Amino acid sequence: MVDLQSANRQALQILLDGRPFLVGMGTARDVIPGMCEFGKKILLHAGPPITWERMSGPMRGAVMAACQYEGWAATADDAVKLAEEGAIVFDPCHHHHAVGPMAGVTSPSMPVFILENKTFGNRSYVNMNEGLGQVLRMGAYGEEVITRLRWMEETLYPVLRAGIEKAVREQNGIDVKSIIAQGLHMGDEMHNRNKAGTSLFLRAVIPYMIEANADKTALIESIRFIDKNDHFFLNIAMAAAKCSLEAAHDVEGSSMVTIMCRNGTDFGIKVSGLYDKWFVGPAAQPDVLLFPGFTKDDVNRDIGDSAIMETYGIGGFALAAAPAIVQFVGGTPQDAANYSLEMYEITIGENSIYSLPAFNFRGSPTGIDIVKVVETGITPVLDTGAAHKIAGKGQVGTGIVRMPSEAFEMAAEAFVEKYLD
Amino acid sequence: MQTADEKRNFASLLKSGANVINFGMAGFYDDLKKQEIPVVQMDWTPKTVNSNLLAKLKMLKKS
């Protein structure tokens, strides 16, 4: 018989002990494990496994963009043909210690950040955030998208990589946990608001970028690009969450969730004490604040690996830290606080580093417990972006989305089957 | 037993007209709508509870 409480305490402690540092950058094919082992064209994507046939519009749009960016297809139609012929291997980012926001499509030539959990030595990977508007992760695949991705590879990547490598030589990397902790005290919740995190990241890396780069034009363009994109830090924070949670996976007897993610069709979770098994149900239909010109019918099902932020105990779970976000996602500051309070009902404990000023610096609710989710009927809340369901149309809005219960119930059934004698 | 205050409040409510939010069964909403009473329908159903699973989880926690 399992000691549930003890196992969950252990899993949570591993999660809380994680010290994610940004330790470098590289090209996906060179640094992400398993990215080249298939001998075929491989694209990583957000969420649990999915085939081309079941992919939603924004996921398909991101695939079309990635195929053009890689030079595998001259047009979006050519990319569709490739996918239909089965010429592309699709695999979740999570199968490769990686994460990706929204569609999460990561292709072999993309530059990626490398994060390391200094306590346990495991690494995670994530590509760079492109900004808002017509971007690959929202399913856009026009020329503007491909041009930006190439600029990010040819100009931003070498400038940023040189700065980060210098930071690694001089101070062992950039302490991402510290940036997240400070950001939560400066109005971020780290999913839909990363304004403070991005600013703090720039402060941390700019001196090294200046010292390491002689090309002033490229340097200025790179700094301006990051400065104009409030979400730039999101991807780095997601990878920090990933390498922290991955260390807490495989704790025998623990019912703590280590992955929550969506691919625009399905919502999937993994649980620490349930090996490598996916538990999958339909993704939520977001009911969000829409940008002008869009209707509810335009909204795709929930999408992205960014649910890793809530799995980590921030994002929607730390909404109380971000009163400024409520105008962006809908509601009042009291609503934001209520969401955070509700999440204490389904978590194992409170965060030892990430705290919420509005609750007298109480630790954020951390470590989702599938047993508590099923017993209370309360499912996790995310504050997230929403994509148009037609490929190429981009983002339609943003808001609060509650995760569906099916995957948690399936996981609880499997947990009972495994551990109840 | 209603107090005098409660009776007065109830009478005053009826005088000013009822505004209804109906949760669940749409039949109540339809009836009120037919009588031209302002009513809003909330799309809500009680959560289905798998009592067998809940019982097993309880046993697991006791172990």
Side-chain angles (χ1 to χ4, degrees):
Chain A
M1 201 68 106
V2 66
D3 182 346
L4 186 63
Q5 271 197 342
S6 162
N8 278 342
R9 269 199 306 270
Q10 187 191 342
L12 180 64
Q13 198 55 53
I14 295 170
L15 174 59
L16 297 178
D17 285 347
R19 289 188 303 126
F21 272 63
L22 177 56
V23 295
M25 291 189 78
T27 303
R29 72 163 65 80
D30 298 331
V31 297
I32 296 183
M35 194 86 184
C36 291
E37 285 170 14
F38 294 83
K40 286 179 84 177
K41 299 175 175 68
I42 178 168
L43 292 178
L44 306 187
H45 62 78
I50 191 164
T51 58
W52 169 258
E53 289 70 30
R54 294 188 66 246
M55 275 183 195
S56 62
M59 184 70 86
R60 285 182 172 217
V63 168
M64 293 177 215
C67 287
Q68 292 178 81
Y69 166 65
E70 288 294 333
W72 300 340
T75 65
D77 288 343
D78 291 345
V80 170
K81 211 172 153 196
L82 271 181
E84 285 175 348
E85 286 168 354
I88 302 166
V89 174
F90 297 109
D91 211 25
C93 293
H94 276 294
H95 288 182
H96 299 261
H97 314 285
V99 278
M102 299 305 288
V105 169
T106 306
S107 68
S109 303
M110 283 184 185
V112 293
F113 292 109
I114 304 167
L115 279 282
E116 184 175 299
N117 184 337
K118 292 284 184 187
T119 310
F120 300 100
N122 60 302
R123 290 188 163 194
S124 60
Y125 310 88
V126 70
N127 61 11
M128 290 191 284
N129 194 290
E130 311 154 77
L132 292 174
Q134 290 292 304
V135 288
L136 174 145
R137 75 175 188 286
M138 294 286 178
Y141 54 83
E143 200 181 323
E144 176 192 345
V145 178
I146 314 302
T147 303
R148 186 188 306 104
L149 288 172
R150 296 226 165 96
W151 175 85
M152 289 170 74
E153 181 188 333
E154 289 158 13
T155 302
L156 176 62
Y157 168 50
V159 168
L160 199 47
R161 186 191 59 199
I164 291 166
E165 284 174 353
K166 189 154 178 60
V168 171
R169 285 195 297 275
E170 297 201 5
Q171 58 169 53
N172 210 20
I174 293 170
D175 184 347
V176 178
K177 192 166 190 172
S178 168
I179 293 178
I180 293 173
Q182 292 175 70
L184 291 173
H185 292 182
M186 296 164 71
D188 280 359
E189 39 63 65
M190 292 291 161
H191 189 158
N192 236 327
R193 190 178 197 270
N194 293 273
K195 207 180 183 79
T198 300
S199 306
L200 292 165
F201 170 71
L202 258 184
R203 268 184 76 182
V205 80
I206 272 182
Y208 299 113
M209 286 169 74
I210 293 170
E211 285 170 358
N213 289 283
D215 181 348
K216 200 175 166 188
T217 309
L219 180 65
I220 291 169
E221 278 181 22
S222 299
I223 291 170
R224 286 206 171 121
F225 179 84
I226 299 171
D227 179 54
K228 280 181 188 163
N229 176 7
D230 284 342
H231 287 290
F232 193 82
F233 184 66
L234 169 64
N235 294 33
I236 299 168
M238 283 173 58
K242 175 64 182 166
C243 68
S244 303
L245 283 155
E246 213 164 70
H249 194 72
D250 258 344
V251 173
E252 182 72 3
S254 170
S255 55
M256 188 176 87
V257 177
T258 52
I259 294 177
M260 284 199 298
C261 58
R262 315 86 91 203
N263 58 30
T265 304
D266 305 315
F267 166 65
I269 67 168
K270 284 193 183 184
V271 176
S272 181
L274 289 174
Y275 307 118
D276 219 19
K277 189 168 169 48
W278 282 106
F279 299 96
V280 178
Q285 183 63 54
D287 183 13
V288 295
L289 269 190
L290 295 165
F291 298 157
F294 296 112
T295 69
K296 271 185 172 186
D297 291 338
D298 295 326
V299 182
N300 195 74
R301 281 185 185 274
D302 198 23
I303 185 167
D305 283 338
S306 53
I308 198 83
M309 304 313 287
E310 283 75 11
T311 321
Y312 191 39
I314 49 179
F317 285 39
L319 262 176
I325 194 75
V326 295
Q327 287 180 318
F328 191 44
V329 299
T332 66
Q334 186 59 52
D335 293 333
N338 289 345
Y339 283 123
S340 290
L341 286 172
E342 192 186 16
M343 293 302 103
Y344 286 106
E345 301 293 322
I346 57 167
T347 40
I348 296 163
E350 297 178 10
N351 208 289
S352 51
I353 301 293
Y354 303 146
S355 62
L356 307 176
F359 298 161
N360 201 19
F361 297 97
R362 182 180 182 186
S364 67
T366 305
I368 301 164
D369 181 357
I370 54 162
V371 174
K372 291 185 176 179
V373 170
V374 172
E375 281 183 337
T376 60
I378 297 169
T379 61
V381 285
L382 273 61
D383 61 323
T384 187
H388 200 292
K389 63 178 160 191
I390 296 172
K393 298 267 187 181
Q395 188 170 4
V396 296
T398 182
I400 306 291
V401 183
R402 198 174 279 277
M403 294 302 96
S405 60
E406 288 90 340
F408 296 97
E409 285 161 12
M410 277 184 240
E413 294 274 10
F415 198 81
V416 162
E417 194 176 318
K418 183 178 175 194
Y419 290 110
L420 189 63
D421 296 332
Chain B
M1 194 72 173
Q2 278 185 316
T3 64
D5 273 353
E6 281 169 345
K7 279 180 185 168
R8 264 197 302 278
N9 288 343
F10 189 61
S12 140
L13 175 72
L14 291 180
K15 207 179 280 179
S16 61
N19 290 284
V20 183
I21 301 170
N22 185 58
F23 288 80
M25 292 180 68
F28 294 112
Y29 168 84
D30 294 336
D31 286 346
L32 291 168
K33 195 83 184 163
K34 274 180 207 157
Q35 295 170 59
E36 295 181 354
I37 294 169
V39 57
V40 174
Q41 173 67 12
M42 284 293 292
D43 184 15
W44 177 85
T45 48
K47 187 177 158 48
T48 318
V49 180
N50 180 341
S51 52
N52 189 32
L53 177 59
L54 288 178
K56 285 178 182 173
L57 289 174
K58 205 171 176 183
M59 283 165 68
L60 198 68
K61 283 166 73 180
K62 275 184 186 165
S63 62

